Structures are given as C-alpha cells and as structure tokens.
Amino acid sequence: MSGEGNQHGHTHRLDLDDASVREWDATVVGMDPERGIVLDRSAFYPGGGGQPPDEGVLLWGGVRTRIVGTVRGDDPYLVPHDGDPVPPIGTAVRGALDDERRTQLMRTHSGLHVLTGVVFRDFGALVTGGNMEPLSARMDFDLADVPPDFKDRVAEAVNAEIRTDRRITTSFLPREEAFAIPDIIRTATNLLPPDIEIVRIVDIAGLDTQADGGTHVASTALIGRMEVVKMESKGRGFRRLRVRIT
C-alpha cells in the first residue's frame, strides 16, 4: 500500500482522483508493442500495493478493445487482449471498467485498511505483507504473541467498525507533511519510493490514516461484512490472516 500523486507520466490518473469513475473519454497518446496502450486520461488502476489491476474495454470507431491488465512504467500501459484491434495514436476512445471487479476490489481494499487499523490499534502490530483478489485477501502481521481468541476478536472488532459507517476520504500531501502524521506507514518496511514528493493519504475517519495508492469505497458500510477465515503462523512471530468479504 503506497501513496502517489495523480499524474503518472503522460497519463492523468482519474482512479486516484475519483474511484467512482467507470466510463470516460480519452485519447491514445502512446503505443508500445511489448507493453500496451497509453492514454492521456485513465481510470484503470494499474495494480500495486497488493491490489490487482483493473480490467475493461476501450471503445473506438465501432470497435471494442478488451483490456486485460496493465504494465507499470513511466506511464500505465494498458494491455490489450490477444487478437483485439489496437487503436492508433491520436484515436479518441471511450474507456470503461469492469464495474463488478473494480467495486469488489474497492470493498476488499477498504476492508483491509479497517483490518490493519484494528490490529494496529488493539495489538500494536504492523503489516509485513498482503495480497488481494476480488472479495478475498490475506494480510500478514508482525505479531509474536496472540491470545487464543485472537481471530474471533479481530473479526468482531472489524465488523463493528464497518457497521459504524466511517467515512473514507483521500487527499494529497507533500512528503514532509505526510510523514509528520504519526504511524502514516503501517508496513514494517517503508515501501514508499524515495522519489515520490506528493503522497496520497487514505483516511478512515476516527480509525486509520495511511499512505496508499489504491482505490476505496466512500464509507466502511459499503464494505459489507468481513469473515476472518483462517489464521496461520508463518514463523518468527509472523501471523497471516485470510479474510473474505461478503
């Protein structure tokens, strides 16, 4: 989970401005046969911080190009489906995301922020790793000692916070101001690249504030319900929680 500004190379990142955007107009400004299509404006989340990239389509001149992933670079390169036509540079396109996939990933990512906020608040543990798919995820914590009812306590606390319907907002701060916020980095290792000068902050009102570049729902009530499916010991005091969003 890392924070970054909303301009990435030649592409204005609509996903960082407004996670509710699902369709938009854009122009093709680049094409790399090995990497993919570059747009001047894009709501495709390119992946990172454990969140997978979005999928969707580009519509142009009565043609549909399916987008199956993204390659990160100086720009987000949209990867077309094998065999689909590719719009030439200068083409006006209409972008559209797979709404169900994006929404599920937003619910999952926000749920993980509630989870990390609860575990940090109640047990003082930092994150050592994680990964998510739509409506399922794992999160690893540096936690040497856990009570026997840890899994149930975490699930109860997380769902209580979800029901509280806490507002989730994003903002951008200069790096120095962002790092003045206590515990702004919730990972055991600071994963924020040193060259990022503007840091994106995701705040769950009254619970959690983190540097983060991913997409989120507008309030915790939109997450749904989190089930802590399993807890695993990964050695040296590391604990892995596997969760499911319903």
Side-chain angles (χ1 to χ4, degrees), residues 165-178:
D165 196 15
R166 297 185 182 276
R167 188 181 179 200
I168 303 175
T169 57
T170 61
S171 60
F172 296 89
L173 290 176
R175 187 183 184 95
E176 186 175 339
E177 290 183 32

Side-chain angles (χ1 to χ4, degrees), residues 63-118:
V63 177
R64 181 184 72 165
T65 301
R66 291 169 289 178
I67 301 301
V68 296
T70 307
V71 175
R72 294 172 67 96
D74 293 338
D75 296 288
Y77 291 86
L78 307 180
V79 180
H81 189 280
D82 284 345
D84 279 11
V86 175
I89 292 175
T91 303
V93 300
R94 181 75 174 169
L97 302 182
D98 179 332
D99 174 64
E100 182 177 19
R101 174 183 170 83
R102 160 62 86 79
T103 300
Q104 290 180 349
L105 285 168
M106 288 168 58
R107 291 171 57 200
T108 305
H109 199 164
S110 296
L112 291 179
H113 275 231
V114 175
L115 175 65
T116 58
V118 163

Side-chain angles (χ1 to χ4, degrees), residues 72 86 96 153 168 180 210 224-225 239:
R72 294 172 67 96
V86 175
R153 281 176 58 184
I168 303 175
Q210 291 188 49
R225 186 178 185 280
R239 300 292 187 270

Side-chain angles (χ1 to χ4, degrees), residues 216-237:
H216 293 268
V217 293
S219 72
T220 59
L222 297 174
I223 295 168
R225 186 178 185 280
M226 178 178 289
E227 178 184 355
V228 181
V229 178
K230 187 177 182 182
M231 185 184 75
E232 303 169 0
S233 176
K234 306 307 290 183
R236 299 193 309 278

